[in-house]
Amino acid sequence: MIRRVLYEVGRAFRETGQQLDRVGLRVVDKPIFKEPFSRHRAVFNLFDKHPTVEPNVFVAPNASVVGRVTILHKSTVWYNAVIRGDFNDVEIGGFTSIGEGAVVNTSKSEERTPDNATRIGDYVTVGAGAVLQSCTVESHAVIGAGAVVMDGAIVENHSHVGPGSVVHPDQRVPSGQLWAGNPAKFVRNLTPEEKASFEIEAEAVAETAEEHADVFLEHGAAYLEAESRYASVVDKLESGDAFREKPKKVEL
Protein backbone atom coordinates (compact mmCIF):
# COMPACT_ATOMS: atom_id res chain seq x y z
CA MET A 1 0.00 0.00 0.00
CA ILE A 2 2.77 2.45 0.98
CA ARG A 3 4.74 1.63 -2.15
CA ARG A 4 1.67 2.33 -4.25
CA VAL A 5 1.16 5.71 -2.59
CA LEU A 6 4.81 6.63 -3.13
CA TYR A 7 4.55 5.59 -6.76
CA GLU A 8 1.49 7.78 -7.32
CA VAL A 9 3.14 10.75 -5.58
CA GLY A 10 6.24 10.34 -7.72
CA ARG A 11 4.12 10.09 -10.85
CA ALA A 12 2.29 13.27 -9.91
CA PHE A 13 5.60 15.14 -9.51
CA ARG A 14 6.81 13.88 -12.89
CA GLU A 15 3.58 14.89 -14.64
CA THR A 16 3.81 18.33 -13.02
CA GLY A 17 7.36 18.66 -14.27
CA GLN A 18 6.28 17.72 -17.79
CA GLN A 19 3.59 20.38 -17.75
CA LEU A 20 6.06 23.00 -16.52
CA ASP A 21 8.40 21.95 -19.31
CA ARG A 22 5.60 22.54 -21.85
CA VAL A 23 5.02 26.01 -20.42
CA GLY A 24 8.73 26.76 -20.63
CA LEU A 25 8.85 25.64 -24.27
CA ARG A 26 5.92 27.91 -25.09
CA VAL A 27 7.69 30.85 -23.46
CA VAL A 28 10.81 30.36 -25.59
CA ASP A 29 8.59 29.84 -28.66
CA LYS A 30 9.62 26.28 -29.47
CA PRO A 31 7.26 24.39 -31.81
CA ILE A 32 7.79 21.02 -30.11
CA PHE A 33 6.42 19.93 -26.75
CA LYS A 34 8.63 16.98 -26.03
CA GLU A 35 12.39 16.88 -25.68
CA PRO A 36 14.39 13.76 -24.72
CA PHE A 37 16.17 13.92 -21.36
CA SER A 38 19.31 11.82 -20.95
CA ARG A 39 19.73 9.81 -17.75
CA HIS A 40 23.45 9.60 -18.45
CA ARG A 41 25.58 10.92 -15.57
CA ALA A 42 28.27 13.12 -17.03
CA VAL A 43 30.33 13.43 -13.82
CA PHE A 44 30.48 10.61 -11.31
CA ASN A 45 32.61 8.85 -8.72
CA LEU A 46 34.33 5.52 -9.16
CA PHE A 47 34.00 4.08 -5.67
CA ASP A 48 36.26 6.35 -3.55
CA LYS A 49 37.74 8.20 -6.53
CA HIS A 50 35.98 11.56 -6.77
CA PRO A 51 36.07 14.12 -9.59
CA THR A 52 36.63 17.78 -8.71
CA VAL A 53 35.00 20.01 -11.31
CA GLU A 54 34.61 23.76 -10.76
CA PRO A 55 31.05 25.13 -11.17
CA ASN A 56 31.80 27.18 -14.28
CA VAL A 57 33.23 24.20 -16.18
CA PHE A 58 31.03 23.00 -19.04
CA VAL A 59 30.68 19.21 -19.27
CA ALA A 60 28.40 18.15 -22.13
CA PRO A 61 25.48 15.95 -21.04
CA ASN A 62 26.75 12.92 -22.99
CA ALA A 63 30.40 13.33 -22.00
CA SER A 64 31.94 11.26 -19.17
CA VAL A 65 34.19 12.48 -16.37
CA VAL A 66 35.02 9.54 -14.11
CA GLY A 67 37.21 9.06 -11.05
CA ARG A 68 40.13 11.20 -9.88
CA VAL A 69 39.75 14.05 -12.34
CA THR A 70 40.35 17.73 -11.56
CA ILE A 71 39.07 20.36 -14.00
CA LEU A 72 39.62 24.05 -13.33
CA HIS A 73 38.08 27.41 -14.22
CA LYS A 74 36.17 27.82 -17.53
CA SER A 75 37.36 24.58 -19.10
CA THR A 76 35.10 22.58 -21.42
CA VAL A 77 34.47 18.88 -22.03
CA TRP A 78 32.57 18.51 -25.28
CA TYR A 79 30.10 15.97 -26.57
CA ASN A 80 31.07 12.27 -26.34
CA ALA A 81 34.45 13.11 -24.77
CA VAL A 82 35.69 10.73 -22.06
CA ILE A 83 38.03 11.61 -19.18
CA ARG A 84 38.92 8.64 -17.00
CA GLY A 85 40.81 9.00 -13.75
CA ASP A 86 40.46 5.37 -12.74
CA PHE A 87 44.09 4.19 -12.60
CA ASN A 88 45.76 7.55 -11.87
CA ASP A 89 44.95 11.24 -11.59
CA VAL A 90 43.92 13.46 -14.49
CA GLU A 91 44.58 17.17 -13.95
CA ILE A 92 43.19 19.77 -16.37
CA GLY A 93 43.84 23.49 -15.98
CA GLY A 94 41.70 26.52 -16.77
CA PHE A 95 40.32 27.55 -20.17
CA THR A 96 41.22 24.14 -21.62
CA SER A 97 38.91 22.37 -24.05
CA ILE A 98 38.60 18.63 -24.59
CA GLY A 99 37.07 18.21 -28.04
CA GLU A 100 34.23 16.01 -29.25
CA GLY A 101 34.98 12.31 -28.88
CA ALA A 102 38.42 12.88 -27.38
CA VAL A 103 39.72 10.44 -24.76
CA VAL A 104 41.92 11.40 -21.81
CA ASN A 105 42.96 8.52 -19.55
CA THR A 106 45.85 7.00 -17.60
CA SER A 107 47.81 3.76 -17.41
CA LYS A 108 48.35 1.61 -14.35
CA SER A 109 51.32 2.52 -12.20
CA GLU A 110 54.30 0.15 -12.22
CA GLU A 111 57.61 0.11 -10.37
CA ARG A 112 59.45 1.86 -13.20
CA THR A 113 56.60 4.32 -13.83
CA PRO A 114 55.09 5.16 -10.42
CA ASP A 115 53.49 8.41 -11.63
CA ASN A 116 51.30 7.74 -14.62
CA ALA A 117 49.05 10.76 -14.22
CA THR A 118 47.86 12.84 -17.14
CA ARG A 119 48.45 16.57 -16.72
CA ILE A 120 47.06 19.22 -19.06
CA GLY A 121 47.81 22.88 -18.45
CA ASP A 122 45.89 26.12 -19.01
CA TYR A 123 44.64 27.38 -22.38
CA VAL A 124 45.13 24.00 -24.06
CA THR A 125 43.00 22.92 -27.02
CA VAL A 126 42.59 19.17 -27.48
CA GLY A 127 41.01 18.49 -30.86
CA ALA A 128 38.11 16.17 -31.62
CA GLY A 129 38.95 12.48 -31.45
CA ALA A 130 42.39 12.98 -29.91
CA VAL A 131 43.74 10.47 -27.38
CA LEU A 132 45.95 11.45 -24.42
CA GLN A 133 47.25 8.77 -22.07
CA SER A 134 49.52 9.28 -19.05
CA CYS A 135 51.25 12.24 -20.68
CA THR A 136 51.92 15.90 -19.96
CA VAL A 137 50.65 18.78 -22.10
CA GLU A 138 51.88 22.12 -20.83
CA SER A 139 49.95 25.40 -21.04
CA HIS A 140 49.14 27.23 -24.29
CA ALA A 141 49.43 24.16 -26.51
CA VAL A 142 47.29 22.63 -29.26
CA ILE A 143 46.71 18.93 -29.84
CA GLY A 144 45.21 18.47 -33.30
CA ALA A 145 42.11 16.44 -34.10
CA GLY A 146 42.74 12.70 -34.04
CA ALA A 147 46.26 13.06 -32.65
CA VAL A 148 47.63 10.58 -30.10
CA VAL A 149 49.96 11.51 -27.23
CA MET A 150 51.23 8.37 -25.52
CA ASP A 151 52.63 7.40 -22.11
CA GLY A 152 55.41 9.58 -20.74
CA ALA A 153 55.35 12.02 -23.66
CA ILE A 154 55.68 15.75 -22.96
CA VAL A 155 54.23 18.49 -25.14
CA GLU A 156 55.82 21.73 -23.98
CA ASN A 157 54.13 25.13 -23.80
CA HIS A 158 53.27 27.08 -26.98
CA SER A 159 53.69 23.98 -29.15
CA HIS A 160 51.36 22.35 -31.68
CA VAL A 161 50.88 18.67 -32.47
CA GLY A 162 49.35 18.35 -35.94
CA PRO A 163 46.06 16.52 -36.66
CA GLY A 164 46.40 12.74 -36.81
CA SER A 165 49.95 12.79 -35.49
CA VAL A 166 51.31 10.28 -32.96
CA VAL A 167 53.67 11.40 -30.20
CA HIS A 168 55.30 8.16 -29.09
CA PRO A 169 56.06 7.16 -25.47
CA ASP A 170 58.62 9.37 -23.70
CA GLN A 171 58.92 11.64 -26.75
CA ARG A 172 59.20 15.38 -26.14
CA VAL A 173 57.78 18.17 -28.32
CA PRO A 174 59.84 21.31 -27.57
CA SER A 175 58.26 24.68 -26.88
CA GLY A 176 57.28 26.86 -29.83
CA GLN A 177 57.38 24.12 -32.46
CA LEU A 178 54.96 22.35 -34.82
CA TRP A 179 55.35 18.58 -34.92
CA ALA A 180 53.42 16.20 -37.17
CA GLY A 181 53.42 12.66 -38.55
CA ASN A 182 53.77 9.14 -37.12
CA PRO A 183 56.04 9.18 -35.28
CA ALA A 184 55.70 12.93 -34.79
CA LYS A 185 58.67 14.91 -36.10
CA PHE A 186 59.71 18.54 -36.18
CA VAL A 187 58.10 20.53 -39.02
CA ARG A 188 58.86 24.17 -38.25
CA ASN A 189 58.96 26.84 -35.58
CA LEU A 190 55.68 28.59 -34.78
CA THR A 191 55.35 32.30 -35.44
CA PRO A 192 54.70 34.72 -32.56
CA GLU A 193 51.21 35.34 -34.00
CA GLU A 194 50.42 31.61 -33.95
CA LYS A 195 51.56 31.24 -30.37
CA ALA A 196 49.55 34.29 -29.28
CA SER A 197 46.42 32.87 -30.95
CA PHE A 198 46.33 29.81 -28.68
CA GLU A 199 45.02 31.77 -25.70
CA ILE A 200 42.57 33.81 -27.81
CA GLU A 201 41.09 30.67 -29.34
CA ALA A 202 40.83 28.96 -25.95
CA GLU A 203 38.89 31.90 -24.52
CA ALA A 204 36.58 31.89 -27.55
CA VAL A 205 35.77 28.21 -26.95
CA ALA A 206 34.93 28.99 -23.31
CA GLU A 207 32.51 31.71 -24.46
CA THR A 208 30.83 29.31 -26.90
CA ALA A 209 30.44 26.77 -24.11
CA GLU A 210 28.42 29.27 -22.07
CA GLU A 211 25.73 29.24 -24.78
CA HIS A 212 25.59 25.44 -24.70
CA ALA A 213 25.47 25.39 -20.90
CA ASP A 214 22.43 27.69 -20.89
CA VAL A 215 20.43 25.04 -22.79
CA PHE A 216 20.95 22.35 -20.15
CA LEU A 217 19.24 23.49 -16.97
CA GLU A 218 20.78 20.72 -14.89
CA HIS A 219 24.22 22.28 -15.39
CA GLY A 220 23.26 25.61 -13.84
CA ALA A 221 25.24 26.71 -10.79
CA ALA A 222 22.63 28.94 -9.15
CA TYR A 223 21.98 26.27 -6.53
CA LEU A 224 25.60 26.59 -5.36
CA GLU A 225 25.00 30.20 -4.35
CA ALA A 226 21.85 29.14 -2.48
CA GLU A 227 23.79 26.38 -0.70
CA SER A 228 26.50 28.89 0.25
CA ARG A 229 23.93 31.28 1.74
CA TYR A 230 22.28 28.40 3.61
CA ALA A 231 25.63 27.29 5.05
CA SER A 232 26.36 30.88 6.12
CA VAL A 233 23.04 31.09 7.99
CA VAL A 234 23.64 27.75 9.69
CA ASP A 235 27.12 28.87 10.80
CA LYS A 236 25.70 32.06 12.29
CA LEU A 237 23.00 30.13 14.14
CA GLU A 238 25.47 27.59 15.52
CA SER A 239 27.94 30.28 16.62
CA GLY A 240 25.23 32.48 18.10
CA ASP A 241 26.16 35.46 15.94
CA ALA A 242 22.63 35.65 14.61
CA PHE A 243 21.32 36.45 18.10
CA ARG A 244 23.92 39.00 19.12
CA GLU A 245 22.62 42.53 18.99
CA LYS A 246 24.65 44.75 16.71
CA PRO A 247 25.96 47.98 18.32
CA LYS A 248 23.83 50.98 17.46
CA LYS A 249 25.39 53.97 15.81
CA VAL A 250 25.36 57.11 17.95
CA GLU A 251 24.70 60.27 16.00
CA LEU A 252 26.37 63.41 17.36
Side-chain angles (χ1 to χ4, degrees), residues 78 95 123 198-211:
W78 291 95
F95 285 93
Y123 297 97
F198 293 166
E199 182 169 329
I200 297 172
E201 293 173 0
E203 291 177 344
V205 172
E207 290 181 5
T208 301
E210 292 179 0
E211 299 178 8

Side-chain angles (χ1 to χ4, degrees), residues 45-59:
N45 301 341
L46 186 64
F47 300 108
D48 60 341
K49 301 170 183 176
H50 309 286
T52 301
V53 179
E54 293 198 2
N56 54 12
V57 169
F58 170 70
V59 179

Side-chain angles (χ1 to χ4, degrees), residues 9 18 30 33-34 65 76 111 124 131 146 197 215 222 240:
V9 171
Q18 290 173 354
K30 279 199 173 182
F33 293 106
K34 186 176 182 181
V65 177
T76 56
E111 289 185 5
V124 174
V131 178
S197 70
V215 176

Side-chain angles (χ1 to χ4, degrees), residues 33-154:
F33 293 106
K34 186 176 182 181
E35 290 183 326
F37 291 89
S38 173
R39 293 181 179 271
H40 171 72
R41 290 186 298 160
V43 181
F44 58 96
N45 301 341
L46 186 64
F47 300 108
D48 60 341
K49 301 170 183 176
H50 309 286
T52 301
V53 179
E54 293 198 2
N56 54 12
V57 169
F58 170 70
V59 179
N62 63 342
S64 297
V65 177
V66 187
R68 294 197 301 262
V69 178
T70 301
I71 308 179
L72 301 184
H73 181 73
K74 290 278 189 175
S75 286
T76 56
V77 183
W78 291 95
Y79 303 95
N80 287 323
V82 177
I83 304 176
R84 285 175 40 209
D86 44 4
F87 295 132
N88 279 287
D89 294 352
V90 175
E91 300 172 0
I92 299 175
F95 285 93
T96 289
S97 64
I98 308 299
E100 292 86 347
V103 176
V104 180
N105 60 13
T106 59
S107 302
K108 288 185 178 180
S109 295
E110 300 176 359
E111 289 185 5
R112 63 183 183 84
T113 54
D115 183 11
N116 274 348
T118 296
R119 296 182 175 88
I120 304 174
D122 303 324
Y123 297 97
V124 174
T125 299
V126 178
V131 178
L132 280 66
Q133 178 167 304
S134 293
C135 59
T136 298
V137 180
E138 296 180 353
S139 298
H140 299 88
V142 173
I143 307 299
V148 178
V149 184
M150 303 177 71
D151 300 60
I154 299 176

